[in-house]
Each structure stands twice: as structure tokens, then as C-alpha cells.
Amino acid sequence: MRYQRRVAAIGLIAASALVLSACGSDENAGGGGVSAAPGVTCGGKPDLRSSGSSAQNNAMTRFVATYQQTCQGQTLNYTPSGSGAGRNEFLGGQTDFAGSDSALKDGDETTRAQARCASPAWNLPLVFGPVAIAYNVPGVTDLVLDGPTAARVFNGQITTWNDPAIAALNPGKQLPAAPIVVNFRSDESGTTENFQKYLVAASNGAYGKEAAQTFNGGVGAGARGSQGVADATKNTPNSVTYVESSFAQRGGLGMAQIINSGGGQPVPLTTESVATAINNVQISGQGNNLTLNLNSLYQTSAPGAYPIALATYEIVCSNYADDPTGQAVRAFLQTALSPGAQQALPDAGYVPLPDQFKQRVTTAVNAIQ
């Protein structure tokens, strides 16, 4: 079957549900009922292996449960070893596909993927989780920020809550004259990298730092993991952090409304606002290689679009060297796109794929050989 190209019909029903939060990369997810996925042709390799992004681990737990319910006797062993390790293990042939907060890089990684697959590799964005700018400011329950102002908070240029730049975005609110305490991830983190990418893209040069998995703002106090920064902010009045919104929710923290690059009204983090941003994101890859131009998300000007989210790719072979592996990978991803699997995501802190975007991913998944 290698290099044959057949386009399978889209056989899954799109489903979009509620949101609230993001990639619980460090902590456990809740339970929830599991139902079999309709319209999936099971079979192939019985024990798939995958590894990579810890940010999608809780989503993968739900996807695996749906896969096992749908395809009796088949399973996937997913190891949340981190995005870089996941890509390397896939390229080295140790796993059947990878989960990664970053798409394969042009050049060496793409060349190695072609050699590993004996076909092109595809980057398929399957999991999205919004990132909140979470805060603990006594007396302030509806803070508004925009990209340039947030960038100047997180690089230390704005140091008090009643700074004129913050006050201009929050007219009529009693902002304290207290110093701002920034809490950041002390460990390497895809959340940190994606949040800094937002600050770079949306600040018109105000951030002035490079985006990396380590925090480069040069200000504040470090804490390990998502739970660590959420706890530090909960326990420190007048502090602020960036964190997956499930952690902000559980900690009772405020979540800033964001004025996106189009100006206009502040946008709260909701199901609809994140889905609007995802639906408007641009795809830079060709065909079924759905690499995203994330700057189009961070710099979105769409009314009602919340602009800060992390995307995780499943990196797959478009045409596997052995048919059983291709069949099983396709079936697993089809179950992950099913209504039951998608509707379970909010409990784990992720965003179900909106219909329009989900159709693109489904088409690509159905074409895996």
C-alpha cells in the first residue's frame, strides 16, 4: 500500500462542546463515562506505542479509554516524556507516532521523518488548551489586559497594579498601588514557550525577549509545574502568572479578559471564544500536513476570539511501512475525534475541536495508510 493515495470519506460526526481550560501537563485528570466511537474500522497492530507532550497527557488518557472501548483487544501505551523526546523517539522508530507541542522542523527533522516513514510525515493538531493570565488582586474580579501591556508586566517594565497602562484598560476600577509579583514556571515547559510566543507576537515588540521553554522575562519568582505557579499565585496577594486555565479555576484565581489584536471589546476565556480563535487559525502546511501558523492565533483580530492557547500535534507517517500499524494509528485517531472522546475533554481542561477545524483534521486522519 505504500505510496498509494486513497482519500477516505469523512465518516465521523463533528462535535463541539464546552471548554475551560488547558493542558494539565503535570497533574491528574478526572474520570467520566466512556462510550464507543461510531464508524471506526478497528484492527491492525494491537499495541501501539506513542510518547511526547506532557501537555496532552490527560487528553490521551481519555482517548485511550475510548479506543479500548471501541476496538476490543487493542490499546495505546502513551508516555508523557516531553515533546522533544517524543519527536526523537518517533524519528528513531521507537514509537508509532509522536505527540509534540511543536511541529517537525523543516530541514533535518523533516528529512529524518521521511526516512523513518518512507513517506512524508504529517503534523496533525489534535489537542488545544487555553492558557490563562491568572491573577490574585484583592478587590479586582474582572481585570482586562492586552498583548503589549501583558508583555510589559511579564518583562518587568510595568511594576505596580495601578500603572497608567493597566488603568487605561480598566477604567473605573480600584487598582491597588501594590507591586506586581510575577510567578513563572521554573521548569522547562511548553506552556512557557507558547505563552512567550504570544507575548512576542501580540506585543508589537514590547516584550523584547525570545520565546523558549524557559521563562526569559527576567522578573518574578519561579515555581515548578502548573500546580506550583497556581498555588504560588493563590497564596500571594497582588501576584500574576500564566497557567492552563483548569489550574486557575481550581485555585479560585481570576482570569484576565484579553483585548486581542483587533482591539474592540475584552474577550473572556470561554468555549466560544477559544473555538472562534481556533477556527480562524491559519494552516501553513500543505495538503494533509496541518502545520499551524500560530502567530495567526496569537495575533487574531476576529471579534470574540481569545488569543492564548497551546496546540499539540500528533506526528504520524502518511503511509506506514506496514499496513497493520497504519490501520491501528488511523483507528486510534478516529476514536479521538469521535463525539464521545471530544465531549469528555472539558473535564480534563481542553477544548473540543470546533466543527470547521475538526473536518480538516478528520480528512487527514482518514487518509493515513
Side-chain angles (χ1 to χ4, degrees):
M1 292 177 61
R2 191 180 304 171
Y3 292 111
Q4 293 178 349
R5 290 292 178 265
R6 69 172 183 264
V7 179
I10 297 174
L12 297 177
I13 300 172
S16 192
L18 92 130
V19 54
L20 277 159
S21 155
C23 309
S25 55
D26 307 299
E27 280 68 30
N28 296 330
V34 176
S35 59
V40 175
T41 302
C42 298
K45 187 176 180 179
D47 52 350
L48 292 173
R49 293 180 58 84
S50 180
S51 65
S53 168
S54 60
Q56 72 168 8
N57 189 40
N58 292 339
M60 292 297 283
T61 299
R62 280 155 174 75
F63 295 159
V64 170
T66 303
Y67 182 49
Q68 291 175 327
Q69 182 71 17
T70 303
C71 298
Q72 299 292 322
Q74 292 183 264
T75 191
L76 166 72
N77 178 14
Y78 184 75
T79 304
S81 53
S83 296
R87 291 196 304 275
N88 285 330
E89 288 160 5
F90 170 71
L91 294 174
Q94 299 160 261
T95 58
D96 300 308
F97 67 93
S100 176
D101 298 337
S102 300
L104 289 173
K105 297 177 177 62
D106 291 337
D108 180 61
E109 281 193 337
T110 301
T111 300
R112 290 170 61 198
Q114 175 78 34
R116 179 258 188 269
C117 293
S119 67
W122 291 342
N123 300 279
L124 306 181
L126 186 66
V127 178
F128 285 85
V131 177
I133 298 180
Y135 63 92
N136 173 6
V137 182
V140 179
T141 59
D142 55 351
L143 182 70
V144 174
L145 294 172
D146 61 12
T149 306
R152 293 172 61 205
V153 168
F154 282 92
N155 70 6
Q157 293 180 10
I158 292 177
T159 59
T160 61
W161 283 109
N162 66 345
D163 185 276
I166 299 178
L169 299 174
N170 294 272
K173 299 172 188 175
Q174 296 299 312
L175 299 169
I180 297 172
V181 179
V182 171
N183 294 313
F184 63 86
R185 290 278 294 268
S186 60
D187 53 324
E188 291 190 357
S189 162
T191 306
T192 296
E193 182 175 16
N194 279 272
F195 180 65
Q196 290 186 111
K197 285 180 178 178
Y198 162 73
L199 295 179
V200 170
S203 69
N204 299 319
Y207 189 52
K209 311 286 184 178
E210 292 185 0
Q213 292 207 345
T214 54
F215 180 69
N216 289 327
V219 64
R224 184 171 182 81
S226 299
Q227 193 63 58
V229 293
D231 288 344
T233 303
K234 180 178 180 179
N235 296 326
T236 308
N238 299 310
S239 63
V240 66
T241 192
Y242 57 90
V243 70
E244 296 92 338
S245 56
S246 58
F247 294 93
Q249 270 195 302
R250 289 204 298 266
L253 300 173
M255 293 186 285
Q257 300 178 57
I258 305 297
I259 298 174
N260 68 33
S261 293
Q265 296 299 310
V267 180
L269 195 164
T270 67
T271 304
E272 295 77 16
S273 66
V274 178
T276 297
I278 295 170
N279 264 338
N280 284 276
V281 71
Q282 297 173 7
I283 295 174
S284 59
Q286 300 297 313
N288 288 325
N289 180 30
L290 304 182
T291 305
L292 302 178
N293 172 8
L294 286 176
N295 278 351
S296 68
L297 185 152
Y298 303 138
Q299 295 176 318
T300 182
S301 59
Y306 181 85
I308 318 174
L310 181 151
T312 298
Y313 297 92
E314 311 314 316
I315 300 173
V316 305
C317 297
S318 59
N319 195 326
Y320 281 85
D322 62 300
D323 291 345
T325 298
Q327 182 180 358
V329 169
R330 183 174 65 248
F332 171 76
L333 294 177
Q334 286 174 337
T335 62
L337 289 164
S338 69
Q342 289 290 303
Q343 289 166 359
L345 288 178
D347 288 341
Y350 303 89
V351 185
L353 296 181
D355 290 353
Q356 179 180 336
F357 191 88
K358 185 178 174 183
Q359 292 297 327
R360 293 289 303 271
V361 181
T362 300
T363 299
V365 166
N366 287 347
I368 294 171
Q369 302 292 316

